[in-house]
Amino acid sequence: MGKIFDTLFHRRKTEIFYERDMAPDRSRKLYKDIDENIRIFNEYLADCDDLISREFVVGNPGGPKHRMALFNIDGLVDKRLVHEEIMKSLMLFARQVPLEYSVGDKFFQLVKDGLLTVAEVREIDNFGEAVLAVLSGDTALFIDKLDRGLILNTRGWEKRSVQEPATEAVIRGPREGFTETYRVNVALVRRRIKDPNLKVQTIRLGRHTRTDVGVLYIKGIANPSIVEEVLKRLNSIDTSGVLESGYIEQMIEDNWLSFFPQFRRTERPDVAAASLMEGNVLIICDNTPFALIAPTTFYSLFQSPEDYYERWYIASLIRILRMTAAFLAATAPALYVAMISFHPGMLPTDLALSIGATREGVPFTTTVEALIMMLALEVLREAGIRLPGPIGQTIGIVGGLVVGEAAVRAGIVSPIMVILIAINAISSFAIPNFSLAVAFRLLAFIFLFLASVAGLYGLILGYLGLTIHLVTLKSFGSNYLSPLVSFKMKKAWDIFVRPPLPSIKERPDYTKPLDRERMRDLRQDQEGRGGDENADGRR
Amino acid sequence: MLMDDDRISTGQAMALVINAILGVSLTILPRDVAKTAGPDCWILVILGGVFAFIAALIIAAVITRFNGKTFTEYTSFVLGRPAGFLAGALYAFYFVLVCAVVLRNFAEVMKNFVLETTPREFVIITLLLLSFYLIRHGLEPMVRFMVINFPIWFITAIVALILTLNKVDFSELLPSFRTPPDKILFGSVSAAISMAGFEVLMVAGQGLKTTRHVYKIAAVSIGIVTAFYIYLVVIVVSMLGVDETRRLLWPTFAVLRSITVPGGVLERIEAPIIIVWVIMVFTTLSAYYFSATITFANLFKAKEFKIFAPLLFPWIYFLSMMPQNVLELENWLKFAGNLAVVFGLIIPFILLIAGSVKARWGKSK
């Protein structure tokens, strides 16, 4: 009998952890007998040494005694809250409960409504929810002779405080960045948008990790079809674990063969808030400071939050600069190789001669030379990331200066190539989005190959292929190259210049916002006001 | 067949037509008109524009009349099943031929100016493969691609021609109005041929969102192309002189050879500019390749037009390798140009007349 029960029970146990929709198993109800409840709960969390269980007796000394049991996970709960607001209330204040209230359901109602001084209290009737809640940092409270339990929100663990984001530093702008805690991140966004239309839908992803993933959008701006599509794709994820938003990104992106990131990721709540107001959908994942913005366009990846805080001349110039940098990051070595090996006539005579002189004695072809330098640079970059700060700098100096200089002296590479590769690398760091920068560095190798095969013609082939790919790429139904694909010059303008804020009256098209109007016409308004004053004066 | 959402707007259709027209013919147009009319060459271009506009108007009328029908459907309706099928097949072969001629001409220019040692086959196959990659996505993505690249080559072309301005001598265009009228009329037909390309809309017209603005498409696109050609011819002839222009094989690119960039960053820029011209050739090729594919798909009432693209691939390639040398290629170009008159003017005209007669006849009955 026990064996049959065990196998049955075991089957159930696997069921809750591997259920398709990640929802807790609600089928196994709580019993009236507290001993049975404690036994089963302990079996769910058998061999979990971090489980804290406490049984105690509560009640008016003259009246009936109530046995209670309390479960939580060590380290996930706020100890002070459990001690002061739960244990103390129950053990001390419950003694003063009048006799007529200390029986059965009445007592339970009183505990729930009047005794526990915890903000969030929820009633449950099954084990699945209780286990999940306890594992998320809540406290479960069972009471004897009751087939219901209470879940008390006591979440509180060691967490990183809100700090300045490391990857998206700005000169002007807020210094707050997302942290690893889901609720904190949502709150950071909520603090910027105090609008009941900012909706937060939380789902849990990962069979084992049960990670909280929130979908944020502003109702009335965001297109419901995009929100639906995001939720649909998120719900289709069935995986063992989601540890970072990168997992989600790669599982729900439109084209996984593409080099290009199809989500914009941000560490900054202000960027998140701005994109929400453009009609985007924000995906916040627990345990990571990186939120995802969908849909995304190619050009939005070139934007930095500062663009909208700085004056528009400066912001526009910097935007054009970034575009140029991206172009150089992808093509600088390839252009050089194409010119040297296929079209030397393009160079002015003096320059051609000086390049020829520096290349004297270099044993490799230009392509091989470029390839060696580019690979060396990639290795240096990778080494620099892994090493701790001070040593990382040493790597930079040793690799960049000493080896570079020595390589030129030894006649392995020409100095012009060193300059070129340096320009190429620095340009790629000028792209604000890291994933995009990596894509451009990858492209640099492809373009180098094409240029070494067919010179400038190879380059234009690469360009055509790249454009065809980008033109057909979509991010949640929006064109990746939007707004360039349409004939709306006014919108296309925003790619190269950042227009003065008063002139950005409409939200971008690619999010297909329900509410297009971003601001009322400022000048018209002022004229109207001026008219009123005149009228007053005449009167 | 096209999918329902694979439709293009009026502006996109303009881009498609302009991209289909501008391509290979601009490399030889100055020579053609200079040969016929000497200093009066610009008159030929204007008249050619007028002729091309008339042809485009006829095609636009055909498209408007048979709103939303595929090419095969309306030719079969007007001319009867067998004749309609034949017309469709002829159009498809014409499009394939244009693809081949465009590709071969492109390969010759590349061999002459940019890649002296690279075999033509490489150039042709790579560009054709890329074109295949583009058209298999459908009409709308193809036109989107054209729209995106439009500013790049347009600005480059304008800038390149502006750089020539300091070497231009407009007295080369004098004396004016000395050419006999019959010569002008005859020459302007050949100028009109270099504006062939509107006929792709006969088959791509089924992908239009609305046929209300087809006349606008015709006017704007032919207008832009004519303006561009006048500009080109005037600059080339006044820079090289009439005699020189007549003698050169590709006078447009010969002009580029003598351009220097101010500031001395680059000494010769004909290679990069010809590279940008590759985009123009590519869009022309893709427009015709797509038209050929979609015509075949319509002929056989195929649900998916994509399968015809790889089938046409070897034919285009072999046809493009047929001419033995540049002179033979010239004859092919002339032949294709004459076909353009048939397919861009005569057949649409027959369709229009027959269609209206049939409609009236049907009404009176």
Side-chain angles (χ1 to χ4, degrees):
Chain A
M1 178 67 197
K3 209 174 179 185
I4 295 168
F5 184 78
D6 272 356
T7 46
L8 277 174
F9 188 62
H10 188 72
R11 197 178 58 81
R12 274 202 194 289
K13 213 161 121 188
T14 48
E15 226 170 53
I16 42 172
F17 283 106
Y18 292 101
E19 221 176 338
R20 182 68 184 72
D21 59 354
M22 316 291 160
D25 171 25
R26 292 202 167 81
S27 61
R28 195 166 172 77
K29 302 290 183 201
L30 290 167
Y31 296 96
K32 287 217 165 184
D33 182 6
I34 193 167
D35 287 323
E36 190 73 358
N37 284 342
I38 292 169
R39 194 181 64 76
I40 291 172
F41 196 90
N42 275 323
E43 272 191 58
Y44 266 99
L45 291 168
D47 297 334
C48 296
D49 288 346
D50 49 352
L51 178 73
I52 295 174
S53 57
R54 169 79 201 267
E55 288 172 49
F56 52 97
V57 179
V58 166
N60 191 321
K65 295 277 182 286
H66 297 277
R67 287 179 63 206
M68 291 192 182
L70 190 138
F71 295 92
N72 57 39
I73 298 277
D74 196 9
L76 288 185
V77 292
D78 186 345
K79 281 256 169 67
R80 196 199 57 81
L81 206 65
V82 176
H83 293 164
E84 298 282 325
E85 314 298 340
I86 301 173
M87 301 295 278
K88 205 175 189 179
S89 316
L90 287 174
M91 292 177 142
L92 297 181
F93 302 143
R95 288 167 192 253
Q96 292 142 26
V97 173
L99 275 178
E100 66 260 39
Y101 283 113
S102 57
V103 227
D105 270 356
K106 265 187 185 163
F107 182 69
F108 178 74
Q109 209 57 42
L110 184 78
V111 169
K112 190 185 160 202
D113 295 341
L115 272 176
L116 293 166
T117 44
V118 181
E120 190 189 325
V121 177
R122 176 154 77 81
E123 201 176 309
I124 49 144
D125 64 347
N126 61 70
F127 282 105
E129 273 182 275
V131 170
L132 187 59
V134 166
L135 289 174
S136 309
D138 291 337
T139 295
L141 182 72
F142 297 140
I143 301 171
D144 196 18
K145 298 189 190 67
L146 263 177
D147 55 356
R148 277 159 293 164
L150 289 178
I151 298 297
L152 318 166
N153 186 349
T154 52
R155 296 182 194 195
W157 50 80
E158 287 304 315
K159 58 188 175 229
R160 195 166 64 97
S161 59
V162 174
Q163 285 166 344
E164 188 173 354
T167 58
E168 279 170 285
V170 292
I171 296 170
R172 175 167 184 177
R175 302 266 184 254
E176 273 182 335
F178 285 134
T179 71
E180 280 76 8
T181 314
Y182 173 64
R183 282 293 161 204
V184 174
N185 292 351
V186 174
L188 281 172
V189 176
R190 177 68 81 182
R191 253 186 51 212
R192 282 166 176 79
I193 305 177
K194 299 172 193 72
D195 183 351
N197 288 320
L198 172 63
K199 305 293 180 196
V200 183
Q201 292 195 21
T202 308
I203 52 177
R204 281 173 183 266
L205 290 181
R207 292 172 191 166
H208 294 288
T209 58
R210 303 289 183 105
T211 314
D212 283 319
V213 175
V215 176
L216 279 72
Y217 58 94
I218 298 181
K219 202 179 164 194
I221 299 178
N223 193 311
S225 67
I226 293 177
V227 178
E228 247 168 58
E229 181 66 26
V230 170
L231 283 169
K232 200 183 95 194
R233 289 194 198 176
L234 280 176
N235 279 320
S236 72
I237 296 178
D238 178 19
T239 177
S240 180
V242 172
L243 295 178
E244 217 270 347
S245 51
Y247 281 49
I248 298 173
E249 179 181 347
Q250 290 167 59
M251 277 186 218
I252 66 174
E253 66 192 357
D254 288 63
N255 185 348
W256 53 273
L257 285 171
S258 178
F259 282 179
F260 293 92
Q262 288 144 56
F263 286 91
R264 191 176 170 199
R265 56 124 189 79
T266 184
E267 251 187 295
R268 305 184 59 92
D270 54 329
V271 173
S275 64
L276 281 173
M277 284 182 290
E278 292 197 336
N280 285 299
V281 176
L282 186 74
I283 302 170
I284 294 182
C285 178
D286 198 9
N287 296 326
T288 176
F290 291 102
L292 302 175
I293 298 168
T296 299
T297 64
F298 185 65
Y299 299 103
S300 69
L301 296 174
F302 279 100
Q303 291 176 7
S304 149
E306 256 176 320
D307 289 6
Y308 290 90
Y309 304 149
E310 215 28 278
R311 293 188 56 73
W312 73 276
Y313 293 109
I314 303 158
S316 304
L317 279 175
I318 292 175
R319 197 169 275 188
I320 294 168
L321 204 69
R322 285 195 204 117
M323 296 273 170
T324 322
F327 174 76
L328 284 177
T331 59
L335 268 177
Y336 176 73
V337 166
M339 277 204 245
I340 293 293
S341 352
F342 285 86
H343 321 284
M346 267 173 71
L347 297 168
T349 320
D350 295 342
L351 183 62
L353 284 178
S354 77
I355 289 178
T358 57
R359 273 192 53 74
E360 198 158 34
V362 175
F364 309 114
T365 62
T366 335
T367 314
V368 175
E369 204 187 331
L371 204 62
I372 291 173
M373 287 305 288
M374 280 165 78
L375 283 175
L377 197 106
E378 291 298 310
V379 173
L380 272 178
R381 189 186 54 78
E382 188 63 20
I385 294 176
R386 305 288 157 243
L387 286 171
I391 308 178
Q393 284 174 13
T394 320
I395 283 285
I397 294 165
V398 171
L401 295 177
V402 180
V403 175
E405 175 69 19
V408 170
R409 285 269 178 89
I412 297 172
V413 290
S414 63
I416 291 204
M417 184 57 83
V418 175
I419 296 172
L420 218 84
I421 299 298
I423 290 174
N424 181 37
I426 294 168
S427 300
S428 78
F429 296 135
I431 301 170
N433 188 298
F434 179 73
S435 319
L436 191 69
V438 172
F440 273 99
R441 274 214 294 274
L442 258 171
L443 282 177
F445 282 95
I446 292 173
F447 276 123
L448 180 68
F449 169 74
L450 288 169
S452 64
V453 171
L456 282 180
Y457 177 63
L459 269 179
I460 200 78
L461 285 182
Y463 165 78
L464 289 174
L466 179 69
T467 324
I468 296 172
H469 169 65
L470 286 175
V471 158
T472 52
L473 192 61
K474 296 222 168 190
S475 168
F476 287 92
S478 303
N479 286 325
Y480 199 55
L481 280 187
S482 168
L484 250 199
V485 284
S486 66
F487 273 99
K488 288 174 186 154
M489 281 311 288
K490 233 179 166 180
K491 296 270 162 102
W493 212 218
D494 195 25
I495 298 164
F496 301 107
V497 297
R498 202 276 285 160
L501 276 186
S503 75
I504 317 178
K505 293 198 185 69
E506 286 190 349
R507 298 179 213 283
D509 282 335
Y510 72 92
T511 53
K512 304 175 188 112
L514 294 184
D515 175 21
R516 273 183 193 288
E517 194 186 51
R518 198 203 297 256
M519 66 171 74
R520 288 226 330 258
D521 198 326
L522 211 64
R523 273 168 303 174
Q524 222 174 34
D525 234 32
Q526 278 163 354
E527 275 165 26
R529 246 180 267 140
D532 283 345
E533 275 162 26
N534 285 346
D536 285 344
R538 247 178 269 136
R539 236 182 277 145
Chain B
M1 299 275 199
L2 293 166
M3 286 187 294
D4 281 343
D5 56 341
D6 193 17
R7 298 195 172 271
I8 54 175
S9 67
T10 306
Q12 285 180 318
M14 284 175 198
L16 171 68
V17 172
I18 294 173
N19 273 295
I21 297 175
L22 293 180
V24 163
S25 46
L26 67 87
T27 60
I28 48 173
L29 174 75
R31 166 163 55 100
D32 263 4
V33 289
K35 235 180 211 165
T36 328
D40 286 337
C41 49
W42 52 277
I43 302 174
L44 293 194
V45 181
I46 293 174
L47 275 179
V50 173
F51 283 141
F53 182 57
I54 292 168
L57 281 186
I58 292 172
I59 292 176
V62 171
I63 296 168
T64 322
R65 173 169 285 278
F66 306 107
N67 180 4
K69 279 186 181 155
T70 68
F71 178 76
T72 323
E73 275 168 15
Y74 66 70
T75 42
S76 310
F77 171 73
V78 174
L79 307 171
R81 263 277 164 84
F85 191 85
L86 185 71
L90 284 176
Y91 263 91
F93 285 124
Y94 164 67
F95 290 140
V96 168
L97 180 75
V98 173
C99 283
V101 171
V102 163
L103 263 177
R104 180 56 190 273
N105 206 307
F106 162 71
E108 292 298 335
V109 172
M110 291 303 277
K111 196 151 183 70
N112 205 21
F113 287 92
V114 185
L115 296 167
E116 283 86 357
T117 51
T118 309
R120 289 183 195 90
E121 289 85 349
F122 173 79
V123 172
I124 288 178
I125 286 183
T126 46
L127 203 73
L128 199 53
L129 270 177
L130 263 183
S131 182
F132 169 58
Y133 175 47
L134 175 61
I135 65 163
R136 60 183 284 279
H137 291 293
L139 176 64
E140 207 266 338
M142 179 179 81
V143 180
R144 237 188 291 147
F145 171 84
M146 291 173 174
V147 172
I148 284 190
N149 282 305
F150 195 83
I152 293 175
W153 62 254
F154 203 78
I155 291 169
T156 313
I158 299 294
V159 167
L161 291 175
I162 284 174
L163 286 176
T164 59
L165 278 180
N166 57 350
K167 292 186 179 159
V168 159
D169 179 10
F170 286 112
S171 63
E172 293 281 351
L173 290 170
L174 299 171
S176 289
F177 308 110
R178 287 279 184 87
T179 323
D182 58 322
K183 245 187 174 178
I184 285 205
L185 207 65
F186 196 71
S188 58
V189 173
S190 78
I193 285 170
S194 63
M195 297 179 198
F198 200 84
E199 64 270 20
V200 295
L201 214 57
M202 289 208 36
V203 287
Q206 56 175 298
L208 280 172
K209 267 185 195 141
T210 166
T211 48
R212 247 181 298 156
H213 308 295
V214 188
Y215 294 103
K216 196 173 139 197
I217 298 172
V220 172
S221 46
I222 298 286
I224 289 178
V225 170
T226 310
F228 184 76
Y229 275 170
I230 292 171
Y231 185 51
L232 179 82
V233 165
V234 166
I235 293 283
V236 170
V237 172
S238 55
M239 190 161 155
L240 296 176
V242 171
D243 296 331
E244 186 79 12
T245 313
R246 275 179 186 157
R247 234 176 285 130
L248 288 167
L249 193 55
W250 293 294
T252 310
F253 293 142
V255 165
L256 295 177
R257 279 212 157 141
S258 53
I259 299 179
T260 45
V261 185
V265 190
L266 293 172
E267 186 139 305
R268 282 167 56 179
I269 58 163
E270 94 255 17
I273 288 178
I274 289 174
I275 287 304
V276 173
W277 172 71
V278 173
I279 301 175
M280 303 170 80
V281 174
F282 182 71
T283 51
T284 305
L285 172 70
S286 300
Y288 277 98
Y289 193 2
F290 177 82
S291 301
T293 314
I294 197 83
T295 314
F296 267 118
N298 285 340
L299 272 184
F300 298 107
K301 296 199 167 57
K303 281 212 172 59
E304 194 63 68
F305 77 96
K306 278 175 205 162
I307 50 164
F308 286 91
L311 292 180
L312 295 180
F313 192 96
W315 293 104
I316 296 175
Y317 172 70
F318 285 126
L319 265 178
S320 70
M321 293 312 287
M322 287 261 280
Q324 295 299 311
N325 50 41
V326 184
L327 284 178
E328 214 178 306
L329 180 66
E330 281 287 297
N331 292 333
W332 281 61
L333 264 175
K334 281 215 181 79
F335 178 62
N338 293 336
L339 284 185
V341 177
V342 176
F343 289 105
L345 183 69
I346 297 174
I347 294 185
F349 190 65
I350 293 172
L351 282 176
L352 185 67
I353 298 297
S356 56
V357 166
K358 194 157 186 177
R360 195 156 295 172
W361 183 66
K363 231 179 246 165
S364 65
K365 210 169 90 171

